[in-house]
């Protein structure tokens, strides 16, 4: 069985991260939007179940899923949405249907390339405002200010694809290309017309990356209102990634390798 219901596998860190990102005042997700996951071992993640609210999550709001089995489905061109839906089904538990989030493939795809402990996917209004605009693809091409460059670095952009098997394939293809090209995992992935994915070895890092993405979007929206965005000079950005003090700050805040 690819997906199982096992509340005892849900850590306090994962639950607290989920509840924190689901707080209404943060405007990262409402209703049943968004999902989080934690890598449990080489082939297993705990991921939020479909229909569960992040703001009121409990250990019962998660399922566990096999990364290798789901990655194999992504890479098999014959896999259908119906087959994926069946694979994410953990059955009826305590009178409720438990099924992995429709965006579970995002979480397993990340683990196909890096053993990042935490992944958080949310739908911040400010970021989606840019990702649904004519500026979507180039909106975050250059950092707009210094701390953004340190915490987020260079995000990966993935054009819109319907959630499910189509998004899983598009995400997987773009992430593979990014890893082959840069040799590193992005801290932030931007999903066109959809939302963001924060990747970190720590729960605090996922929160920091998510919040920084929101501030970076608000800065851009304000700059566009004032006439346009002037990004940081590439030489300055390169310095942020080579300086020892900035590397230490990046590792402390975002939970990324120094």
């Amino acid at each position: 069985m690819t997906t199982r219901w096992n509340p005892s596998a849900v850590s306090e860190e994962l639950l607290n991260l989920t509840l924190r990102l689901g707080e209404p005042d943060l405007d990262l997700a409402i209703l049943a939007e968004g999902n989080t996951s934690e890598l449990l071992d080489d082939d297993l993640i705990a991921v939020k179940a479909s229909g569960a609210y992040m703001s009121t999550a409990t250990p019962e709001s998660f399922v566990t899923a096999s990364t290798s089995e789901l990655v194999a489905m992504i890479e098999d061109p014959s896999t259908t949405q119906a087959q994926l839906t069946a694979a994410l089904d953990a059955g009826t538990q305590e009178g409720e249907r438990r099924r992995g989030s429709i965006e579970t493939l995002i979480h397993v795809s990340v683990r196909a390339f890096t053993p990042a402990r935490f992944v958080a996917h949310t739908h911040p209004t400010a970021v989606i405002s840019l990702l649904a605009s004519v500026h979507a693809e180039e909106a975050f091409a250059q950092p707009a200010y210094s701390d953004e460059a340190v915490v987020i670095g260079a995000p990966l952009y993935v054009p819109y694809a319907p959630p499910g098997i189509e998004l899983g394939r598009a995400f997987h293809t773009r992430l593979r290309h990014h890893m082959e090209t840069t040799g590193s995992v992005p801290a932030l992935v931007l999903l066109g017309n959809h939302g963001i994915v924060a990747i970190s070895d720590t729960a605090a890092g996922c929160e920091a990356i998510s919040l920084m993405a929101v501030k970076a979007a608000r800065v851009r929206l304000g700059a566009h209102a004032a006439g346009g965005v002037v990004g940081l000079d590439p030489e300055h950005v390169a310095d942020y990634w080579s300086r020892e003090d900035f590397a230490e700050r990046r590792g402390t805040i975002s939970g990324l390798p120094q």
Side-chain angles (χ1 to χ4, degrees):
M1 193 172 183
T2 302
T3 307
R4 299 177 183 275
W5 187 63
N6 182 12
S8 65
V10 180
S11 73
E12 186 175 350
E13 281 185 275
L14 176 60
L15 183 58
N16 288 340
L17 172 64
T18 306
L19 292 169
R20 170 63 175 156
L21 296 184
E23 289 182 10
D25 289 349
L26 295 182
D27 192 27
L28 294 169
I30 64 170
L31 304 177
E33 287 184 338
N35 31 81
T36 54
S37 70
E38 180 179 6
L39 183 64
L40 303 178
D41 61 35
D42 290 342
D43 189 48
L44 197 67
I45 62 169
V47 62
K48 189 183 77 70
S50 178
Y53 282 37
M54 293 179 70
S55 59
T56 57
T58 67
E60 288 73 22
S61 305
F62 294 80
V63 296
T64 61
S66 166
T67 57
S68 62
E69 292 179 29
L70 290 172
V71 168
M73 295 185 75
I74 295 173
E75 295 178 341
D76 182 351
S78 69
T79 300
T80 65
Q81 181 59 46
Q83 289 172 323
L84 173 62
T85 300
L88 294 175
D89 193 353
T92 300
Q93 310 290 342
E94 298 185 346
E96 288 189 38
R97 197 70 172 182
R98 309 288 184 174
R99 180 180 289 117
S101 166
I102 193 173
E103 291 150 343
T104 296
L105 294 190
I106 288 173
H107 298 265
V108 300
S109 178
V110 169
R111 277 50 179 254
F113 300 102
T114 179
R117 186 177 170 195
F118 292 98
V119 173
H121 167 52
T122 56
H123 301 168
T125 302
V127 183
I128 296 176
S129 295
L130 285 169
L131 297 180
S133 76
V134 295
H135 303 288
E137 188 163 3
E138 73 276 8
F140 290 81
Q142 285 182 283
Y145 70 106
S146 56
D147 257 13
E148 174 196 346
V150 173
V151 175
I152 294 177
L156 169 65
Y157 175 77
V158 178
Y160 179 80
I165 190 64
E166 290 187 57
L167 175 57
R169 286 180 177 137
F171 185 93
H172 198 65
T173 297
R174 288 278 178 140
L175 184 56
R176 176 191 285 116
H177 178 72
H178 179 90
M179 295 294 292
E180 292 173 349
T181 303
T182 69
S184 62
V185 62
L188 177 70
V189 182
L190 305 162
L191 306 178
N193 294 84
H194 188 150
I196 63 173
V197 180
I199 302 169
S200 178
D201 285 331
T202 68
C206 271
E207 180 180 346
I209 293 163
S210 300
L211 295 179
M212 186 61 75
V214 173
K215 180 168 183 177
R218 289 174 177 161
V219 167
R220 284 163 172 76
L221 291 170
H224 279 301
V229 178
V230 177
L232 294 179
D233 187 300
E235 291 186 7
H236 292 157
V237 176
D239 188 42
Y240 292 145
W241 284 85
S242 62
R243 278 176 47 173
E244 183 178 347
D245 57 338
F246 283 156
E248 181 179 354
R249 179 174 173 78
R250 181 171 68 251
T252 300
I253 296 175
S254 63
L256 297 175
Q258 298 182 32

